[in-house]
């Protein structure tokens, strides 16, 4: 939503203000637009492998959607972790084996459909709960493994950000290429009347205008949005990590989820009282 609002403001501030004292028809040079977009797509394809292209295309729709990682979501996650750890503390680690092996039919996990919809987060949590049930690794070994997995996840998510950022960096240069091509065409028509030459030179300069506008006004904001989405999507792993490690180090479930609450971004972090009241209200359900 904010991306679209920003685009409208950018167009109003650039094309809109130009329209007050110039003709918009002068900016309509179809060949320049086709050339710029062709160069953008060609550079993107040439500079990336199939995996990076697929990751970028898959990530682009997310910039037009609101974030699902909000306060309500994290309250659900922390309440779910409390239920799991409380069950472990009361009945032992083996009591959650069925929940871990089939989370979709688990009485605990099934109460939190928003979390179940995030398959990567579900896999992360169930994998480490399975290791805890197995009892083969200590807290330090699991912490190192979690750090490595989270780093890998961040690297994978950053592929789309990198690809779009590189595209934004290259678009102004593509605009210059198109403008130079237009100037070359003008130089070959020096015998034409000044009015004709002026129109041709103006058309050539549209390439430079378009390249800079697309880069900083349209492509770069997408890269920025993707980076913010990546950071928002990575926080849930840190939250689950500190909760599980706190539990492995002997802290009670109520204290363990407090560790998770503390690592959340402030706009998404429930207060201690909010989380405590929510956990208490769900005990009877």
């Amino acid at each position: 939503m904010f991306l679209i609002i920003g685009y409208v403001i950018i167009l109003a501030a650039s094309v809109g203000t130009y329209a007050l004292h110039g003709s918009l028809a002068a900016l309509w040079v179809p060949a320049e637009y086709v050339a710029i977009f062709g160069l953008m797509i060609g550079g993107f394809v040439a500079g990336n492998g199939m995996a990076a292209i697929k990751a970028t295309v898959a990530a682009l729709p997310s910039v037009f959607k609101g974030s699902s990682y909000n306060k309500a979501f994290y309250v659900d996650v922390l309440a779910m972790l409390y239920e799991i750890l409380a069950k472990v503390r009361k009945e032992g680690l083996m009591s959650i084996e069925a929940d871990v092996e089939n989370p979709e039919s688990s009485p605990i996990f099934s109460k939190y459909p928003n979390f179940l919809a995030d398959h990567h987060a579900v896999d992360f949590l169930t994998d480490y709960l399975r290791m805890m049930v197995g009892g083969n690794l200590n807290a330090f070994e699991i912490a190192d493994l979690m750090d490595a997995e989270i780093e890998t996840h961040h690297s994978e998510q950053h592929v789309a950000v990198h690809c779009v950022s590189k595209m934004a960096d290259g678009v102004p240069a593509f605009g210059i290429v198109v403008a130079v091509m237009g100037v070359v065409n003008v130089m070959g028509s020096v015998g034409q009347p000044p009015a004709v030459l002026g129109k041709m030179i103006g058309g050539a300069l549209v390439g430079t205008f378009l390249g800079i506008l697309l880069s900083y006004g349209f492509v770069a904001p997408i890269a920025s949005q993707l980076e913010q989405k990546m950071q928002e999507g990575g926080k849930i792993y840190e939250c689950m990590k500190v909760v599980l490690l706190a539990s492995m180090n002997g802290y009670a479930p109520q204290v363990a989820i407090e560790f998770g609450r503390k690592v959340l971004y402030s706009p998404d972090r429930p207060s201690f009282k909010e989380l405590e009241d929510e956990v208490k209200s769900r005990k009877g359900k």
Side-chain angles (χ1 to χ4, degrees), residues 199-218:
K199 184 176 180 180
M200 295 176 67
I201 293 172
L205 292 176
V206 168
T208 303
F209 156 76
L210 186 60
I212 296 173
L213 180 64
L214 285 176
S215 173
Y216 297 106
F218 288 85

Side-chain angles (χ1 to χ4, degrees), residues 92-160:
L93 276 168
M94 295 304 296
S95 65
I96 63 168
E97 186 174 13
D99 300 287
V100 169
E101 294 302 329
N102 194 2
E104 288 77 14
S105 60
S106 162
I108 296 177
F109 286 107
S110 59
K111 292 162 58 177
Y112 304 96
N114 290 334
F115 177 76
L116 279 178
D118 192 333
H119 301 296
H120 294 295
V122 171
D123 289 343
F124 181 91
L125 179 60
T126 54
D127 283 348
Y128 289 104
L129 287 174
R130 190 176 293 112
M131 291 182 189
M132 291 169 62
V133 171
N136 296 323
L137 296 174
N138 60 42
F140 294 106
E141 292 170 326
I142 288 185
D144 289 341
L145 187 57
M146 284 180 172
D147 288 338
E149 184 172 354
I150 291 173
E151 183 179 354
T152 300
H153 174 78
H154 287 351
S155 297
E156 290 176 343
Q157 295 298 309
H158 198 267
V159 168

Side-chain angles (χ1 to χ4, degrees), residues 18 22-29:
Y18 172 82
S23 172
L24 289 178
L27 298 177
W28 179 242
V29 187

Side-chain angles (χ1 to χ4, degrees), residues 6-277:
Y7 282 170
V8 171
I9 295 172
I10 289 168
L11 287 173
S14 56
V15 179
T17 54
Y18 172 82
L20 296 176
H21 56 78
S23 172
L24 289 178
L27 298 177
W28 179 242
V29 187
E32 305 270 341
Y33 288 79
V34 172
I36 290 253
F37 281 103
L39 288 166
M40 284 173 57
I41 295 171
F44 172 69
V45 172
N48 300 288
M50 183 56 69
I53 292 173
K54 287 182 177 179
T56 304
V57 172
L60 288 177
S62 67
V63 303
F64 299 101
K65 301 176 182 177
S67 176
S68 59
Y69 300 103
N70 50 33
K71 182 184 289 189
F73 175 82
Y74 282 115
V75 167
D76 278 351
V77 171
L78 292 170
M80 177 196 65
L81 290 170
Y82 175 85
E83 285 195 54
I84 293 171
L85 297 179
K87 185 176 181 180
V88 168
R89 197 172 185 85
K90 183 178 179 181
E91 304 175 25
L93 276 168
M94 295 304 296
S95 65
I96 63 168
E97 186 174 13
D99 300 287
V100 169
E101 294 302 329
N102 194 2
E104 288 77 14
S105 60
S106 162
I108 296 177
F109 286 107
S110 59
K111 292 162 58 177
Y112 304 96
N114 290 334
F115 177 76
L116 279 178
D118 192 333
H119 301 296
H120 294 295
V122 171
D123 289 343
F124 181 91
L125 179 60
T126 54
D127 283 348
Y128 289 104
L129 287 174
R130 190 176 293 112
M131 291 182 189
M132 291 169 62
V133 171
N136 296 323
L137 296 174
N138 60 42
F140 294 106
E141 292 170 326
I142 288 185
D144 289 341
L145 187 57
M146 284 180 172
D147 288 338
E149 184 172 354
I150 291 173
E151 183 179 354
T152 300
H153 174 78
H154 287 351
S155 297
E156 290 176 343
Q157 295 298 309
H158 198 267
V159 168
V161 178
H162 177 77
C163 291
V164 178
S165 295
K166 285 296 183 182
M167 185 188 298
D169 291 341
V171 175
F174 291 148
I176 293 173
V177 169
V178 173
V180 170
M181 291 167 60
V183 171
V184 170
N185 186 39
V186 172
M187 298 304 292
S189 306
V190 290
Q192 298 292 329
V196 175
L197 289 176
K199 184 176 180 180
M200 295 176 67
I201 293 172
L205 292 176
V206 168
T208 303
F209 156 76
L210 186 60
I212 296 173
L213 180 64
L214 285 176
S215 173
Y216 297 106
F218 288 85
V219 183
I222 292 177
S224 179
Q225 286 275 1
L226 287 174
E227 186 169 14
Q228 292 175 40
K229 297 289 184 182
M230 179 196 73
Q231 293 173 346
E232 291 172 359
K235 184 56 67 174
I236 185 175
Y237 300 98
E238 296 179 30
C239 176
M240 292 188 293
K241 168 193 166 183
V242 298
V243 171
L244 293 181
L245 291 177
S247 177
M248 292 184 71
N249 284 313
Y251 289 97
Q254 186 63 58
V255 178
I257 63 171
E258 180 64 13
F259 279 62
R261 187 184 72 85
K262 284 294 188 181
V263 304
L264 299 177
Y265 293 122
S266 55
D268 305 324
R269 183 192 304 149
S271 68
F272 176 85
K273 182 67 172 157
E274 287 175 327
L275 183 58
E276 182 181 44
D277 291 344

